[in-house]
Amino acid sequence: MNTPRLSSVPGYDLKSIPLKSSLLALLVFSSGVAFPATAAEPADTVVLHGRVYTVEARHPWAEAVAIRNGEILAVGTDEEILRHRVPTTKVLDAKGHLVLPGFTDCHVHFLDGSTSLSQVQLEDAKTIAEIQQRVKTYAAAHPSDPWVLGRGWTYPVFPPDGLPNKKYLDEIIPDRPVYLEGFDGHTWWANSKALALARITKETSDPPGGSIVRDTAGEPTGAIKEDAADAIVRRVIPEPSREAKLQALRAGIHLANQFGLARVHVLGGVNAGRDDLQNVDLFEELRRNGELTLRFYLAYRLDPPDVSGQQLRAIVAARDRYHDDWIAAGGAKLFLDGVIETHTAAMLEPYSDSPALSGDLLWDADKYKHFVAQLDQRGIQVFTHAIGDRAIRLALDAYEQAGKQNGTKDLRHRIEHIEDASAADIPRFGRLGVIASMQPLHSYPDEDTLKSWAPNVGPERAQRGWAFHSIEAAGGVLAFGSDWPIVTLNPWSGLETAVTRQTAEGTPKGGWIPSQRISLADALRGYTLNAAFAGHREKSEGSIEPGKVADLIVVSQDLFHIEPSKIGKTRVVLTMVGGQVIWRTQSF
Ligand SMILES: [Zn+2]
């Protein structure tokens, strides 16, 4: 076929769109010169009168966008875009508002988060009495639920050791099992009825990888730590019905769209055994019903000590089966360590406040490297949870070694979290092409960060806490996400934190490690174009450019003309995914 060499124009992927429309769009867009009205391809929808921030470096600003068949046909001035208007074209007036590409959240536990929406929410409960009140109210409102389930309580509610006790739940609900997950997914809280149903007594021994907290007399207190311990209880909780899961997913998708999300990267369950990928048929069902208004990239969770041949085959099979614009699978998620607050993140040197501790790797280092190489060889993108500098170094070593050994390129393996990298490793992200998948809201400088996280690593290492700027300045790609339900799915508070490194109240003055702040434009890229790149989608998503999917949002305030401390208050007034308006506020 005689094809003009348009594909050499950087930034334009012309494979997926008809040549004629892309050629027109390109001419109109890049020349800025009026193109004959008769030649313009008709649009299904035009968005006019916007302040369109495209996130495309060469043409960052425009006024209007034309959309056809779920894709962006043209981007330009109102005048240019109006040429694509025909009588059937829908017109959306952005009323001078800021228009951005739809956001991607690079790190969520979607089924967990969605399920938690209909359970007791304890995120902002500050006292035991408040928790009791909420649990009681919820239980009364849901008399037929066999278990009262919820999540989000925090350690400071329970001084001095930060651990909850069954007695507070027994006081309000003695006859029905209650089981509540801590905000970080590491500790659970059961009442006596739940312990009895799970047959947890004084005699029950701790399972590997977890523990049943006991009082001085050896009696279980109701606090249960880490995955394996949780599993003892979870196996006696009835699995939600298929319809209940679908209902939960619908609520999760709706919430995501309201926040301006068009895609999420799903990193498996927060806990072993609850994998979104095992539920991929639910996403399929929603798609068949026309209810899928959020794009999904699903990773398969692999837990130590080994990866079986069957698991490897399952990931490859999932990737071969699901790889379109809406449902894609085939990533693999591994956990290398825990968290800094509880001294379980693996550090190269001992913790500053507890010199006897330096955290442990959850995988045997050689086995981890071996399995990374196996995954890499099959072209599977690897996502490694690594928070401490020792875990981060091992992940970088494993990725580097696998690439050399297999001769693979551009697989864009990722490290998730990267809370404290060593100075020597920061430039390796850029050099090795490893994606820095970070969650800005985890660096929110509240009491937890300043009074627990920072003293644990000490002042020298704290300087590299969530080193957004250093990683980026050394050529690394920052891809942003939330870690929902560990923190809110709302990306706007995360965006603010990356820019200000301050709380909503403006503390600490001047910002926490202000040298690691990044610009608004760079932070926006973390949720859009870089996020698309981190999921191998930058040719079709992540910026407002002709030929890309029509995922865009209109927001309540112009982020470029407000105080950075107000970014978190942004509301999304309209969300379009695949050319369809799927959310808009009543007032817009
Ligand atoms: Zn996570």
Side-chain angles (χ1 to χ4, degrees):
M1 203 173 85
N2 186 12
T3 310
R5 293 188 49 79
L6 269 177
S7 53
S8 60
V9 177
Y12 290 94
D13 174 38
L14 298 174
K15 290 194 293 289
S16 55
I17 44 169
L19 181 61
K20 193 170 145 234
S21 69
S22 55
L23 177 57
L24 281 174
L26 188 65
L27 291 174
V28 171
F29 189 58
S30 59
S31 66
V33 170
F35 204 81
T38 48
E41 191 122 340
D44 301 335
T45 305
V46 290
V47 181
L48 301 173
H49 315 308
R51 256 176 59 75
V52 182
Y53 183 64
T54 66
V55 191
E56 199 269 301
R58 289 162 311 139
H59 308 97
W61 292 99
E63 287 175 336
V65 184
I67 290 141
R68 181 182 166 85
N69 290 334
E71 288 183 352
I72 294 167
L73 184 62
V75 184
T77 63
D78 284 339
E79 198 188 324
E80 285 161 353
I81 295 307
L82 273 170
R83 293 192 193 102
H84 297 275
R85 185 181 173 181
V86 294
T88 53
T89 301
K90 275 187 230 145
V91 177
L92 289 174
D93 183 353
K95 299 175 193 167
H97 282 266
L98 184 67
V99 179
L100 298 167
F103 274 27
T104 289
D105 185 320
C106 290
H107 190 125
V108 295
H109 305 283
F110 203 78
L111 192 54
D112 285 310
S114 298
T115 306
S116 75
L117 291 175
S118 62
Q119 300 175 344
V120 193
Q121 306 251 24
L122 300 170
E123 272 77 13
D124 49 350
K126 297 267 183 295
T127 62
I128 292 168
E130 205 179 332
I131 291 177
Q132 287 178 317
Q133 190 53 48
R134 283 196 210 177
V135 173
K136 220 169 128 177
T137 309
Y138 179 91
H142 298 80
S144 58
D145 286 10
W147 283 63
V148 177
L149 301 169
R151 79 177 316 284
W153 57 266
T154 58
Y155 302 107
V157 175
F158 306 100
D161 58 358
L163 290 172
N165 194 292
K166 61 186 177 186
K167 70 180 180 200
Y168 302 122
L169 296 174
D170 293 346
E171 278 167 27
I172 49 164
I173 306 180
D175 50 350
R176 240 167 115 190
V178 183
Y179 196 51
L180 307 168
E181 181 173 351
F183 84 103
D184 62 357
H186 287 272
T187 311
W188 284 259
W189 178 17
N191 68 349
S192 293
K193 184 75 185 174
L195 293 174
L197 288 172
R199 298 210 173 88
I200 295 177
T201 65
K202 231 172 151 172
E203 280 70 48
T204 313
S205 52
D206 283 350
S211 64
I212 296 159
V213 180
R214 298 157 210 268
D215 62 18
T216 43
E219 194 63 45
T221 63
I224 297 176
K225 287 183 163 181
E226 303 300 335
D227 280 352
D230 171 52
I232 307 181
V233 183
R234 200 166 352 95
R235 66 187 158 77
V236 298
I237 302 175
E239 174 81 354
S241 68
R242 186 179 174 84
E243 195 37 56
K245 284 187 194 168
L246 284 168
Q247 210 43 46
L249 289 176
R250 287 182 190 109
I253 290 170
H254 182 64
L255 184 69
N257 291 154
Q258 268 179 280
F259 285 140
L261 297 172
R263 174 180 290 281
V264 290
H265 296 176
V266 182
L267 282 278
V270 175
N271 310 298
R274 272 195 262 169
D275 216 40
D276 293 68
L277 199 54
Q278 291 163 5
N279 291 290
V280 67
D281 58 314
L282 299 175
F283 296 101
E284 277 287 14
E285 181 167 338
L286 292 174
R287 188 216 306 252
R288 278 199 303 278
N289 299 341
E291 296 176 290
L292 201 64
T293 56
L294 184 64
R295 305 176 193 275
F296 286 89
Y297 178 31
L298 305 167
Y300 189 106
R301 179 174 161 157
L302 297 168
D303 287 307
D306 279 305
V307 177
S308 68
Q310 194 191 345
Q311 284 173 313
L312 287 171
R313 285 192 296 278
I315 299 169
V316 172
R319 182 188 60 196
D320 292 348
R321 178 148 177 215
Y322 302 104
H323 47 70
D324 64 27
D325 282 342
W326 290 95
I327 306 173
K333 161 92 184 274
L334 297 96
F335 272 84
L336 265 189
D337 66 347
V339 295
I340 285 171
E341 287 83 345
T342 58
H343 307 98
T344 51
M347 303 301 290
L348 293 163
E349 302 292 335
Y351 280 95
S352 299
D353 67 320
S354 310
L357 301 173
S358 57
D360 288 315
L361 292 168
L362 300 176
W363 283 83
D364 171 82
D366 288 330
K367 271 196 176 172
Y368 166 77
K369 284 187 185 171
H370 170 75
F371 291 122
V372 165
Q374 296 264 304
L375 292 160
D376 177 276
Q377 193 183 35
R378 288 164 178 77
I380 294 165
Q381 189 180 22
V382 182
F383 303 60
T384 299
H385 165 121
I387 284 181
D389 51 14
R390 182 169 168 223
I392 295 167
R393 178 165 297 173
L394 174 59
L396 289 165
D397 288 349
Y399 294 163
E400 182 171 21
Q401 201 177 310
K404 274 192 193 141
Q405 192 179 316
N406 298 325
T408 46
K409 280 202 177 63
D410 202 30
L411 284 180
R412 304 180 196 173
H413 297 314
R414 305 173 22 164
I415 302 184
E416 306 296 319
H417 308 309
I418 319 171
E419 293 189 3
D420 208 358
S422 91
D425 288 327
I426 284 177
R428 296 177 73 198
F429 287 88
R431 206 160 62 223
L432 300 174
V434 172
I435 308 285
S437 173
M438 302 175 79
Q439 300 75 40
L441 206 51
H442 284 336
S443 70
Y444 190 73
D446 58 4
E447 292 261 293
D448 175 68
T449 305
L450 302 183
K451 302 237 165 90
S452 167
W453 192 97
N456 288 5
V457 297
E460 197 276 323
R461 289 180 291 194
Q463 291 305 309
R464 292 182 302 280
W466 291 272
F468 307 133
H469 175 75
S470 302
I471 292 174
E472 186 175 56
V477 172
L478 295 177
F480 285 157
S482 64
D483 206 5
W484 187 55
I486 309 299
V487 301
T488 173
L489 186 60
N490 180 348
W492 304 96
S493 355
L495 187 71
E496 177 179 314
T497 308
V499 175
T500 66
R501 309 270 298 198
Q502 286 175 315
T503 64
E505 291 73 45
T507 60
K509 244 186 154 52
W512 180 64
I513 327 271
S515 57
Q516 295 301 346
R517 284 174 169 167
I518 54 171
S519 70
L520 174 63
D522 288 351
L524 282 171
R525 224 176 29 243
Y527 287 101
T528 55
L529 195 54
N530 284 4
F533 184 86
H536 290 276
R537 294 260 157 199
E538 79 284 3
K539 288 187 177 148
S540 57
E541 295 174 18
S543 58
I544 302 178
E545 286 182 72
K548 289 197 172 182
V549 294
D551 295 356
L552 51 88
I553 57 179
V554 182
V555 298
S556 61
Q557 50 178 358
D558 188 340
L559 302 172
F560 291 89
H561 288 101
I562 57 168
E563 286 294 315
S565 62
K566 302 216 161 64
I567 295 172
K569 302 214 164 49
T570 305
R571 296 279 165 271
V572 174
V573 295
L574 181 142
T575 303
M576 175 188 281
V577 182
Q580 304 293 323
V581 175
I582 44 162
W583 158 255
R584 73 195 295 173
T585 53
Q586 276 184 335
S587 57
F588 191 74

